[in-house]
Amino acid sequence: MSTNSLQFTAISGANNEDAVCYILEIDDTKILLDCGSFEDYPSETLAQLQRVARQVDAVLLSHPDAAHVGAYPLAYSKYGMSCPAYATQAVGMMGRLCMLDVAKSLKAREDFTLFDEKDVNQAFDNITPLQYSQPMTLSGKHSGIVVTAYSAGHTIGGSIWTISNGAEVVLYAMDFNYVKEELLNKGSLLEGNLGQVNPRLMRPTLLITDAYNALYKLPTRKRRVEWFLNSVANAVKRGGNVLIPVDSSARVLEIAHVLNEWWPQERSRKDKYTLYLLGRCAKKMISFAQSLTAWMADGIGELASKDSKPFDLRHIVVVQSIEDLEKRMNGSGRRGRAKRAVVLASLEGMSMSFSQDLFVRWAAERRNAIILPQRGPPGSLTRDLFSRWWDRTQKKESRGAASAASGVAAAVDLVELKRFFGTEIGVTLRRRIPLEGTELENWLAQERRRKEQEAAREAMLQRNRMMLDADNMSSDSDSDDESPMEMGMRSMRDIDTLALSEIDLEMERLRSGQSYDLLVKDRGRVRGLDAQNQSYCMFPFQEKIRRFDDYGEMYDLEQFMEDVEIDESTNLAQDTMDRDYDSDDDDSKKDARPTKPIKEEMRVHLNCLLGFVDMEGRADGTSASSILVQIMPKRVVIVHGTASSTQTLAEYCRDPQVPVTKEIYTPGIGETLNVSSGFNAYKLKLTDALFKQVCMREVGKGNMLGFVSGRIRFTQEDEIPVLDIDSAGLESAWQAPTMVGDSKLSSLRVALEARGISAHFDSEGTLVCDGKVAIRRKKDRFPAAQTSALVVSAPAVAATAGIQILGTPSPEYYTIRAIVYEHFVQI
């Protein structure tokens, strides 16, 4: 017997809206639930992550954005978190692009050393890709734990997780969406069109969920999409540029798809404006998305024609640098006329990258507009702009224009309420500038010294390799039995283990002028008892020894191979497109000129239009609360929300009128909760002889249930007790029959009506059949009537619950009772 221990610790994202990162401990197994961090990479959060990184046994990643995967490359490459990681295929691919974009953006503005692009690729190569509803058993000593990913909506491949260990089931549901979108299907929490929770996700031992939208009640998605497109259309009519800050690989797919389908509906808009997607990994993002149509909504792959690929954003021009964007805007119109632009620019926080650059350039122009589809990370420029917009909106509503109950996506006109004339916003601009003057000369001198040292070291390595090669060839007669290939491999092993440690020291002596001669071993061996190896000072020259085998002289084929230049003019356009997808971004094509980072504080005048329409793809507070009640968890941990939103959701659950558990936890950062259920788990091994006697019945879909009776015995060979046949008590063993199955009266009503028996519910919830027989839930007290009653036990209800069949014995009574018997499985 063992009691499962269950503990939860919040590393980041508790009682605040920071990136999410949590530790779930099941017995001696530590599972990291997401590993997020925004681009500021706070030292306190990283310190907590570093302390536990080497102790983590598995990592589960939910969404492909920085809030969920932002710190994973750092933890894998620098903190030693080399344990297995699990995510859906789409999260792995798009999360890689997200972190590549972040790494390149940080590298372009400062001396960023936490991780680089190589670390990102190595970290995401470590991820085991999963499909939805695919159970994955952890390896090694954690083989009793099974993790399964289900669709969460919100992002492509986004997941909610179930972690099972015996009787303990943990449901980790963060940032889910129950509404189908243009590009993404709805999450798996609700199934069908009736709004019922998926039975596979009901009644978990522990539910871990977020309160990000607990304070907001959003309009329908259809209305929000209309407002978003109307906002863009109104901004375009004013003749200015439109900036829409987006992420690099998550919600940008849905927003770009919506705009791409809407853009060609008006010809004048196409003639005067161009729709751009600006990001350092934008081409790769589209290429990856075209290979992930199986993770999108039904029918996306079928929209492709013979001349286009799935998810072909034919009305969006993809650019990967500000220079390319400006060049196209200045000369892409008809007859060389400049065009205005609607730009989807990364990143969504506008604290760095292209979105910040465009904000600095366009914010002061009155005709331009900035439309926010997301609130952005806390402390970012986007969050600052959203707060200003929200405060202005609430002031207008308080004067009677609208009701504040409509939530963050209130129907506010873009022109009337979103002007901020005279407002100045402080922006910290970090960028790199080319070195000039003395700094450039010092850098060039340092670079020359570095290349000289590398060349000298390579020459010394080659010389020592040749010397050891020659010594091995003429060492003694015993080596004649070795083949030339074996001798070469042995010499390489010798140079790796002996000479490499001496190369740098000897090279430094030569460069410093302390020695000009090299001691070379004497190859003329003197045979005899007094034979000694002699060395002479000689010029560092070693004659190459030619090697022969049974077929003649051995030579390297690479020395005779010529570099052939490929005429790219003969390549097909499709091959060129594929190379563009596989090539690096435009930053790698620039001149590798030496640069230095600078920091500049700027005051930007906000004269443009400012708007916000919620396109985040999350369930609002009302819907999330309703779904939480239907899930019926035994314990709830609420994280990832402001202190007020977390407290609001917790108070809602603690309301006596709300039929949900009252074990509600709202942990703080670094706080460890003991959320164990206290269940006792028994592990027994059944013998083959006993298992053959068990009569198994199918219950539900894929579940087998049977009654077993035996005697437990303990052996020294087996660590787990063995349940064997009880020969002594076999004759007296008897078990009263038990009915198992779906105990819902509504299901019974369907079964009865299918057999031609009319059934309806009365005002008290009793199922009345043909006006003669009543079926109801078992109560603690029964009426003392002279009626026949049958109690059917069901594990899905409370211990005192069941089903009663009440009625006068008659043919109709026995017919209805037989149908009820057939509805259940007798064990």
Side-chain angles (χ1 to χ4, degrees), residues 572-765:
L572 298 176
Q574 183 61 41
D575 296 337
T576 304
M577 183 180 298
D578 294 338
R579 287 198 307 272
D580 289 341
Y581 287 156
D582 296 333
S583 62
D584 292 332
D585 55 276
D586 291 347
D587 294 341
S588 62
K589 301 178 183 179
K590 298 179 182 179
D591 297 336
R593 295 177 297 175
T595 59
K596 67 176 182 180
I598 62 171
K599 178 180 177 181
E600 185 178 359
E601 299 290 342
M602 300 183 60
R603 302 296 298 179
V604 179
H605 293 275
L606 186 62
N607 296 329
C608 64
L609 300 173
L610 178 63
F612 170 81
V613 180
D614 191 296
M615 296 289 289
E616 294 180 346
R618 291 185 176 94
D620 62 359
T622 303
S623 302
S625 301
S626 176
I627 293 174
L628 189 151
V629 173
Q630 295 185 53
I631 293 176
M632 293 185 290
K634 296 180 180 179
R635 276 166 295 280
V636 179
V637 174
I638 302 175
V639 291
H640 196 216
T642 61
S644 59
S645 62
T646 302
Q647 189 63 25
T648 298
L649 183 57
E651 291 177 355
Y652 170 81
C653 296
R654 295 190 182 107
D655 187 349
Q657 303 299 325
V658 178
V660 72
T661 179
K662 305 309 173 186
E663 294 187 48
I664 310 298
Y665 302 91
T666 56
I669 299 298
E671 181 180 355
T672 300
L673 300 176
N674 184 5
V675 289
S676 302
S677 62
F679 288 155
N680 294 328
Y682 296 86
K683 294 183 179 180
L684 298 175
K685 182 186 297 184
L686 272 66
T687 61
D688 294 338
L690 179 62
F691 185 77
K692 291 180 180 178
Q693 296 182 358
V694 179
C695 181
M696 304 297 293
R697 299 292 182 88
E698 183 176 0
V699 179
K701 296 181 179 179
N703 299 319
M704 303 298 294
L705 187 63
F707 174 77
V708 61
S709 176
R711 183 178 296 272
I712 298 176
R713 57 182 174 86
F714 298 88
T715 61
Q716 296 180 354
E717 295 81 7
D718 298 325
E719 297 180 357
I720 302 177
V722 177
L723 184 63
D724 202 352
I725 297 177
D726 184 11
S727 302
L730 188 60
E731 297 179 358
S732 60
W734 181 82
Q735 170 69 19
T738 303
M739 295 290 185
V740 179
D742 189 359
S743 61
K744 295 180 180 179
L745 295 182
S746 58
S747 301
L748 279 176
R749 178 184 178 182
V750 173
L752 291 169
E753 291 178 347
R755 302 287 290 270
I757 298 176
S758 62
H760 66 276
F761 289 99
D762 62 6
S763 60
E764 297 181 356

Side-chain angles (χ1 to χ4, degrees), residues 250-439:
R251 291 299 301 172
V252 61
L253 297 175
E254 176 70 22
I255 297 173
H257 179 73
V258 170
L259 287 174
N260 181 74
E261 296 298 317
W262 168 77
W263 192 255
Q265 296 179 7
E266 186 175 339
R267 181 63 181 273
S268 60
R269 180 168 56 235
K270 293 175 57 179
D271 294 339
K272 298 179 181 179
Y273 276 79
T274 304
L275 185 59
Y276 292 98
L277 176 61
L278 175 61
R280 285 184 166 84
C281 299
K283 292 182 179 179
K284 289 184 179 180
M285 183 271 293
I286 294 180
S287 177
F288 282 10
Q290 290 174 345
S291 66
L292 296 173
T293 54
W295 298 87
M296 300 178 184
D298 300 336
I300 293 296
E302 301 175 358
L303 296 178
S305 62
K306 296 181 179 180
D307 300 331
S308 63
K309 296 181 180 180
F311 191 67
D312 184 17
L313 304 179
R314 61 177 60 191
H315 303 293
I316 298 179
V317 179
V318 180
V319 290
Q320 299 192 154
S321 67
I322 290 289
E323 293 77 8
D324 191 10
L325 175 65
E326 293 180 341
K327 180 179 178 181
R328 291 175 179 270
M329 289 178 61
N330 293 332
S332 62
R334 292 182 177 179
R335 301 178 182 178
R337 293 180 299 176
K339 275 190 175 183
R340 293 289 184 174
V342 176
V343 184
L344 300 172
S346 65
L347 295 163
E348 76 274 17
M350 289 201 293
S351 296
M352 63 176 186
S353 195
F354 299 140
S355 58
Q356 185 189 55
D357 296 338
L358 293 181
F359 172 80
V360 172
R361 302 184 185 192
W362 292 355
E365 176 61 38
R366 297 182 57 179
R367 293 184 300 173
N368 295 338
I370 300 175
I371 301 176
L372 308 176
Q374 304 177 67
R375 282 168 277 180
S380 64
L381 177 59
T382 299
R383 180 59 67 94
D384 183 18
L385 295 176
F386 166 76
S387 299
R388 295 171 185 268
W389 178 90
W390 178 242
D391 293 341
R392 181 71 61 86
T393 303
Q394 292 302 297
K395 290 180 180 179
K396 181 67 176 180
E397 290 183 351
S398 64
R399 291 195 297 266
S403 174
S406 60
V408 297
V412 185
D413 184 73
L414 179 69
V415 179
E416 289 185 357
L417 300 177
K418 301 177 184 179
R419 283 200 176 278
F420 295 85
F421 291 134
T423 302
E424 289 189 356
I425 296 180
V427 177
T428 301
L429 188 63
R430 299 176 184 267
R431 55 194 177 93
R432 306 186 74 93
I433 60 174
L435 297 179
E436 298 178 351
T438 305
E439 293 180 335

